[in-house]
């Protein structure tokens, strides 16, 4: 008990204020009853907007700008990002304050070359501390965005602990890994959910020679799609049920939302149910689910289908044709959609089979021009290392569940029965080894995510190298996890961001 409360106290309130802020936070965030809510195929409760949402398929799809390096040398590209609040017109005619990387949501897209170092200098002009995580990156521990490794903001610094940097700080990414669709997002202890929700998320693509030799669609026909649901207040601000909307010290959401926050408005690249005019040609879409709690079951109507070419950590061995993509939070699906067989004027809608009403739709494509297309989808994409169960030097079980830690009638989300604590390490795998992990999910759905390490699934049909896997309530996944790159302490956690903020996270240490 004491270690749990003191961890939260350390992070949120500091010693003296502990019983005040710490417990107020807990009262707010913990329901002893209704924590098993599930709606629209996702753990969580629906939050309804307080203004009229726009009609669907009216706003053009925005494409986040690609960030230019401020300088570059023989080995390294240098970038600068300022995290700040800014006004955005997300809903037509409505002004919304976002917290964005360079003030925009999604943040600018970074494009790196595999094997070249990328250094990003982050400046924090927000009132709160931040931590930047490159999701899917094989990154040294001191640059991984550990939740208490903070860049302090313009607000008061009391009540925080951990490593606190004031002023700009560099994140160094060696990017010794194949072409992939990564993303960067906030990872501040206890506050990742609300800070990502306000806009702190962007794409970081890695390209390499192999991928470029394949002839896949490129340029204007290689488009990242960040899907994220939100709700809005009457004044246009993002609606989120924080106990303390200042996000200063008291974490947590009000008790109806402890299972997750689901919005009623589906944004793609920060626009509501947008429309993209396409040529009658093949397009590559890098689909990311950046939602806090919502899972999507994506389909295309009008007879179109997806050819999956990549997953979280890069290209598959071979393309896979599929009608449906089930995408949990933080997963990436790299797909080709071929619009060449459709007549001009054809509308193809990307739908969400898990949704109801507005959330059953995501965006629309309209075929508006004929075009030449010399792209192709080769039968063989990338030869990737295939892990086999006999390589596993250890087996471990990870259980994601509610409860297991009761304190004054409050229940937390836990990993192997324990809420997050900075000192508790759930596994100590050896650098360079492969382990077999069995992950189990109880009470509701949980997407499992592990930093640094990539894995392959032993059960189920999903292919390729992944860093996040969805688990249904009662579900189990068997993974072969490879620990490569760096020694040090990292986190694994549930990527339902409300669960993560409410302690469903644990350390592992590569030794
Ligand atoms: Cu996308 Cu630890 O997170
Ligand atoms: Cu991550
Ligand atoms: Cu969870």
């Amino acid at each position: 008990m004491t270690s749990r409360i003191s961890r939260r106290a350390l992070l949120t309130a500091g010693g003296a204020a502990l019983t005040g802020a710490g417990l107020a936070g807990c009262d707010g965030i913990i329901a002893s009853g209704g924590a098993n809510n599930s709606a629209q195929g996702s753990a969580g409760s629906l939050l309804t907007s307080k203004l009229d949402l726009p009609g669907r398929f009216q706003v053009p799809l925005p494409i986040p700008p690609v960030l230019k390096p401020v300088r570059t040398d023989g080995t390294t590209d240098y970038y600068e990002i300022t995290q700040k609040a800014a006004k955005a017109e997300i809903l037509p005619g409505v002004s919304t304050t976002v917290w964005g990387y360079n003030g925009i949501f999604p943040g600018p897209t970074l494009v790196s070359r595999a094997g070249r170092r990328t250094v990003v200098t982050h400046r924090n002009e927000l009132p709160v501390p931040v931590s930047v995580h490159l999701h899917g990156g094989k990154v040294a521990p001191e640059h991984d965005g550990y939740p208490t490794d903070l860049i302090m903001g313009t607000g008061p610094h009391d009540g925080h602990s951990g490593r606190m940097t004031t002023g700009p700080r560099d994140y160094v990414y060696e990017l010794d890994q194949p072409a992939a669709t990564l993303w960067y997002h906030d990872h501040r202890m206890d506050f990742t959910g609300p800070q990502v929700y306000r806009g702190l998320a962007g794409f970081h693509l890695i390209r390499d020679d192999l991928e470029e030799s394949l002839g896949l669609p490129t340029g204007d026909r290689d488009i990242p799609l960040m899907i994220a649901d939100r709700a809005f207040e009457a004044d246009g601000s993002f609606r989120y049920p924080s106990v303390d909307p200042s996000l200063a010290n008291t974490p947590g959401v009000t008790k109806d939302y402890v299972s997750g926050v689901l919005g009623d408005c589906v944004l793609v690249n920060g626009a509501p149910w947008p429309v993209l005019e396409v040529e009658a040609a093949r397009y590559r879409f890098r689909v990311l689910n950046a939602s806090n709690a919502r899972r999507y079951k994506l389909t295309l109507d009008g007879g179109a289908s997806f050819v999956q070419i990549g997953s979280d950590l890069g290209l598959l061995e071979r393309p896979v044709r599929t009608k449906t993509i089930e995408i949990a939070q933080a997963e990436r699906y790299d797909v080709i959609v071929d619009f060449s067989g459709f007549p001009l004027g054809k509308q193809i809608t990307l739908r969400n089979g898990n949704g109801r009403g507005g959330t059953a739709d995501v965006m629309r494509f309209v075929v508006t021009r004929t075009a030449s297309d010399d792209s192709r989808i080769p039968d063989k994409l990338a030869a990737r290392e295939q892990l086999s169960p006999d390589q596993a030097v250890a087996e471990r079980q990870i259980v994601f569940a509610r409860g297991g830690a009761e304190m004054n009638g409050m229940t937390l989300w836990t990993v192997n029965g324990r809420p997050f604590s900075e000192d508790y390490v759930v596994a100590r795998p050896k650098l360079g080894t492969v382990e077999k992990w069995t992950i189990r999910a109880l009470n509701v759905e949980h997407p499992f995510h592990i930093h640094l390490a990539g894995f392959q699934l032993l059960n189920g049909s999903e292919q390729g190298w992944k860093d996040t896997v969805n688990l249904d309530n009662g579900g189990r996944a068997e993974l072969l996890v490879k620990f490569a790159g760096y020694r040090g302490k990292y986190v694994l956690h549930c990527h339902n961001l409300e669960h993560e903020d409410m302690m469903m996270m644990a350390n592992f240490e590569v030794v």
Side-chain angles (χ1 to χ4, degrees):
M1 299 289 143
T2 32
S3 70
R4 288 190 286 272
I5 198 159
S6 60
R7 192 214 58 84
R8 180 174 287 274
L10 271 167
L11 288 161
T12 61
L18 156 67
T19 41
L23 289 182
C26 285
D27 280 342
I29 63 176
I30 307 305
S32 37
N36 289 350
N37 302 339
S38 231
Q40 305 192 5
S42 311
S45 304
L46 187 68
L47 199 56
T48 310
S49 293
K50 296 288 195 194
L51 45 62
D52 288 336
L53 294 172
R56 295 167 220 171
F57 321 127
Q58 291 171 6
V59 179
L61 175 78
I63 312 278
V66 172
L67 192 63
K68 290 200 179 53
V70 290
R71 79 197 157 87
T72 156
D73 62 27
T75 57
T76 310
D77 302 315
Y78 301 86
Y79 295 88
E80 288 177 5
I81 290 180
T82 301
Q83 303 190 30
K84 58 184 182 191
K87 302 260 186 226
E89 186 177 337
I90 293 174
L91 307 178
V94 175
S95 167
T96 302
T97 299
V98 302
W99 284 4
Y101 295 111
N102 286 349
I104 57 173
F105 166 59
T109 300
L110 279 85
V111 181
S112 294
R113 198 79 201 166
R116 262 183 82 76
R117 185 181 304 122
T118 290
V119 176
V120 189
T121 305
H122 276 268
R123 220 172 289 273
N124 180 12
E125 293 178 0
L126 294 167
V128 298
V130 297
S131 171
V132 184
H133 173 54
L134 177 57
H135 182 125
K138 209 201 272 179
V139 172
E142 64 273 26
H143 297 290
D144 192 53
Y146 191 80
T148 54
D149 186 357
L150 302 167
I151 314 174
M152 303 313 285
T154 56
H157 293 187
D158 57 304
H160 304 286
S161 82
R163 177 179 161 190
M164 295 186 274
T165 308
T166 47
R169 100 155 252 189
D170 291 348
Y171 288 88
V172 180
Y173 305 129
E174 298 297 337
L175 300 181
D176 180 16
Q177 61 188 102
T181 303
L182 311 185
W183 62 302
Y184 61 105
H185 64 77
D186 189 65
H187 219 300
R188 175 187 169 200
M189 186 74 224
D190 294 344
F191 293 91
T192 296
Q195 295 192 176
V196 169
Y197 196 91
R198 289 187 192 194
L200 293 173
F203 283 99
H204 191 149
L205 312 182
I206 304 180
R207 299 192 190 279
D208 67 11
D209 296 344
L210 172 81
E211 178 194 48
E212 280 174 3
S213 72
L214 295 175
L216 298 167
T218 60
D220 292 347
R221 296 188 191 148
D222 175 356
I223 297 178
L225 299 177
M226 178 190 287
I227 304 176
D229 59 333
R230 295 291 185 265
F232 294 86
E233 297 287 0
D235 65 1
S237 59
F238 285 132
R239 181 159 194 234
Y240 187 87
S242 288
V243 172
D244 173 10
S246 79
L247 309 185
N249 281 311
T250 306
V253 292
T254 56
K255 69 175 172 19
D256 291 343
Y257 295 92
V258 295
S259 285
V261 175
L262 306 172
D264 59 355
C265 180
V266 179
L267 306 180
V268 184
N269 294 347
W273 301 287
V275 59
L276 177 69
E277 294 189 349
V278 293
E279 297 175 329
R282 281 185 206 92
Y283 281 70
R284 174 179 186 179
F285 296 111
R286 302 161 182 267
V287 184
L288 159 68
N289 178 1
S291 307
N292 283 29
R294 186 179 284 281
R295 309 189 301 175
Y296 302 80
K297 191 187 224 170
L298 300 175
T299 56
L300 290 164
D301 69 3
S305 59
F306 307 102
V307 176
Q308 188 189 353
I309 56 165
S311 58
D312 302 337
L313 292 177
L315 293 170
L316 303 180
E317 299 249 323
R318 294 172 173 282
V320 181
R321 182 170 293 278
T322 176
K323 290 253 169 221
T324 308
I325 292 173
E326 298 206 49
I327 186 166
Q329 305 93 295
E331 284 188 302
R332 285 87 72 209
Y333 279 81
D334 203 334
V335 298
I336 308 281
V337 178
D338 188 350
F339 296 105
S340 67
F342 296 105
L344 297 193
K346 173 82 177 178
Q347 300 181 334
I348 294 164
T349 306
L350 182 64
R351 296 194 194 278
N352 169 26
N354 288 338
R356 247 172 270 131
T359 57
D361 287 319
V362 177
M363 67 173 289
R364 176 170 285 171
F365 305 97
V366 183
V367 183
T368 51
R369 291 179 299 279
T370 55
S372 63
D373 184 3
D374 55 9
S375 73
R376 48 192 201 103
I377 311 176
D379 292 336
K380 276 209 166 137
L381 294 165
R384 303 291 301 267
E385 181 189 5
Q386 281 303 320
L387 301 179
S388 107
D390 10 287
Q391 286 172 268
V393 299
E395 295 199 10
R396 298 180 206 271
Q397 285 246 9
I398 303 283
V399 181
F400 278 10
R402 177 175 162 247
E406 296 261 348
M407 185 175 64
N408 302 336
M410 306 176 303
T411 304
L412 302 166
W413 297 100
T414 61
V415 177
N416 289 3
R418 305 180 63 138
F420 181 74
S421 136
E422 273 189 80
D423 336 295
Y424 172 62
V425 176
V426 72
R428 286 199 168 78
K430 289 202 182 68
L431 182 67
T433 63
V434 174
E435 297 194 354
K436 184 182 165 193
W437 286 24
T438 302
I439 320 292
R440 291 172 55 220
L442 300 177
N443 311 110
V444 289
E445 324 43 30
H446 302 283
F448 166 87
H449 169 53
I450 183 164
H451 288 211
L452 179 77
F455 58 77
Q456 293 176 350
L457 281 160
L458 278 173
N459 64 335
S461 57
E462 268 199 89
Q463 304 189 23
W465 281 91
K466 291 180 61 63
D467 56 47
T468 306
V469 62
N470 187 45
L471 290 141
D472 286 329
N473 181 5
R476 121 197 234 113
E478 290 178 12
L479 321 177
L480 292 174
V481 194
K482 183 166 181 184
F483 297 90
Y486 300 92
R487 291 191 177 80
K489 189 167 84 165
Y490 294 86
V491 290
L492 59 86
H493 58 89
C494 180
H495 224 289
N496 174 311
L497 297 184
E498 283 71 41
H499 297 187
E500 176 188 338
D501 284 344
M502 289 165 232
M503 308 289 110
M504 195 170 244
M505 178 158 71
N507 297 291
F508 69 97
E509 187 179 1
V510 181
V511 295

